[in-house]
Amino acid sequence: MKKLALLMFGLLMLLPYRALAYDEVEVEIPVTTNESCVIQMSGDFNEEQTIDGSGAFIVPVSHPGTYNCRIQQIPGDEESKIYDEQVYNVLIFVETADGKLQASIILSADGEPEKLAELAFENETVPLPPPPDEPDEPEEPATPEEPDTPDTPEEPEKPDTPDTPDEPSNPTKSQHHRAQHNNNDTPRTGDTNAVLIWSVVMLVSAALLAMVLIIWRNRRRRK
């Protein structure tokens, strides 16, 4: 009895969910690409799909409601590619009609109010610069020649020994007498100066004496 009661309770719990369940519907979002691209959807749905050329990003929906999503490309790793970085907004409206789900979508570029008919991703291929030429291997430097051994310098010649000078000869008596005579004829500077000084002193004394005499005579006459 206990097991039967639990089974009946489980069936009662499942009845509302079966009544609200709908058949799954696939929402198709048109996407065009100029080459094979990996497209990612984020937001209320998280999906990744590869689209090459014209196709559709398919999203399975099993419940009515409004779903807000974003779609963009996952860039690859090719150096020669410039990947399209455009981001799109996708609104998915799912409603019921005659017990079935019906979906409609609104597409727009991120930040733009204009509605779009499809999403487009165009990648650009750019030529890569040619690889640089491999540098030539440098030539091995030539071994320098050994320098010539310098010549041994010649020894300088020894200078000639100078001749021994002649010994001076002794002066004769006549030459000695002439030298003494020349010394006697030379005036003595000190004696001449003394004579001049005394002469000046005498002249000054005479002049003073004459002046005294003149003054004395003049006074006498006045008396």
Side-chain angles (χ1 to χ4, degrees):
M1 292 295 292
K2 187 176 182 179
K3 291 182 178 180
L4 182 60
L6 291 174
L7 180 61
M8 293 296 294
F9 179 76
L11 292 174
L12 291 174
M13 293 293 293
L14 291 174
L15 284 175
Y17 290 95
R18 288 186 176 180
L20 296 176
Y22 295 95
D23 293 334
E24 188 177 79
V25 62
E26 292 184 346
V27 180
E28 295 186 357
I29 302 170
V31 179
T32 60
T33 64
N34 63 341
E35 61 183 11
S36 179
C37 299
V38 179
I39 308 302
Q40 180 186 48
M41 173 180 280
S42 60
D44 293 333
F45 295 101
N46 292 303
E47 300 282 343
E48 286 186 11
Q49 297 179 20
T50 300
I51 298 177
D52 189 0
S54 297
F57 195 100
I58 299 175
V59 182
V61 181
S62 57
H63 294 85
T66 301
Y67 301 94
N68 190 355
C69 304
R70 290 164 65 87
I71 289 181
Q72 61 188 26
Q73 179 183 192
I74 299 177
D77 55 0
E78 295 185 31
E79 295 182 358
S80 61
K81 296 286 185 183
I82 298 177
Y83 293 94
D84 194 339
E85 298 179 352
Q86 180 63 55
V87 179
Y88 295 97
N89 294 321
V90 180
L91 284 175
I92 303 175
F93 301 96
V94 181
E95 299 174 343
T96 58
D98 299 330
K100 296 182 180 180
L101 297 178
Q102 294 181 350
S104 60
I105 59 175
I106 296 178
L107 308 177
S108 63
D110 189 29
E112 299 291 337
E114 183 180 357
K115 296 180 181 180
L116 302 175
E118 62 181 9
L119 310 183
F121 294 94
E122 294 186 1
N123 298 331
E124 183 179 354
T125 302
V126 295
L128 293 176
D133 297 335
E134 294 184 1
D136 298 333
E137 294 184 1
E139 298 180 357
E140 294 184 1
T143 304
E145 297 180 358
E146 295 184 1
D148 297 334
T149 304
D151 297 335
T152 304
E154 297 179 358
E155 294 184 0
E157 296 180 358
K158 293 183 179 180
D160 297 335
T161 303
D163 297 335
T164 303
D166 297 334
E167 294 182 1
S169 58
N170 294 325
T172 59
K173 292 182 178 180
S174 58
Q175 293 175 346
H176 182 69
H177 180 70
R178 290 177 183 174
Q180 289 182 350
H181 180 71
N182 292 331
N183 291 333
N184 292 330
D185 293 341
T186 303
R188 296 180 181 178
T189 306
D191 297 341
T192 303
N193 292 335
V195 172
L196 291 174
I197 291 171
W198 283 109
S199 298
V200 171
V201 170
M202 292 177 67
L203 290 174
V204 171
S205 299
L208 290 174
L209 182 59
M211 289 179 62
V212 171
L213 291 174
I214 292 171
I215 294 170
W216 179 74
R217 288 180 180 178
N218 290 333
R219 287 181 178 179
R220 190 173 179 182
R221 289 176 182 176
R222 292 175 182 175
K223 292 178 178 182

